[in-house]
Amino acid sequence: MVDRYLRIRENLASIISTEDVLLLLTPVQEKGASDLLENFKKFQSVLKILQKETTTICEARVLFDEILIMYPVMRAYLSPIAKIVHSSFENAIAKIQNHRILTLTEDEEQQ
């Protein structure tokens, strides 16, 4: 819907009534909507890759790390030591697939 609005916004002013002009987004709101759409497209592309049957845990980890670079606020959800990751096994598999040395984090050592 945001995408559609941004595509037709220039033509809207000429086809709507004077009273309805107030319903149009301000330039600041349009910029926010445009930025939001770009972020959505990035997340959507990552989700499509994650849904492929051929995506490995290592590839998922790389995608998550790239998202963390762009959106550090997601660290609580996507970092290898996020509270929602309940398995050291997933981290170990990612390390093996990435040809990294298997080392234990402090949390893994305590388990």
Side-chain angles (χ1 to χ4, degrees), residues 41-104:
K41 287 179 180 179
K42 289 176 187 176
F43 279 106
Q44 189 175 30
S45 67
V46 168
L47 288 174
K48 285 182 181 180
I49 294 170
L50 290 173
Q51 291 176 20
K52 290 181 182 178
E53 289 185 24
T54 57
T55 301
T56 65
I57 292 175
C58 180
E59 291 167 336
R61 179 76 263 142
V62 169
L63 286 171
F64 291 159
D65 290 343
E66 289 176 11
I67 289 291
L68 288 174
I69 292 168
M70 293 184 285
Y71 307 99
V73 70
M74 299 295 293
R75 187 159 311 284
Y77 306 102
L78 298 179
S79 77
I81 57 170
K83 290 183 180 180
I84 63 170
V85 178
H86 297 290
S87 173
S88 301
F89 179 74
E90 291 176 18
N91 289 330
I93 294 297
K95 288 176 183 178
I96 290 169
Q97 289 177 339
N98 207 17
H99 306 290
R100 290 178 39 205
I101 297 173
L102 290 177
T103 57
L104 296 177

Side-chain angles (χ1 to χ4, degrees), residues 2 30-43:
V2 173
E30 283 186 7
K31 173 73 171 117
S34 180
D35 292 347
L36 183 65
L37 181 63
E38 289 306 311
N39 289 330
F40 174 74
K41 287 179 180 179
K42 289 176 187 176
F43 279 106

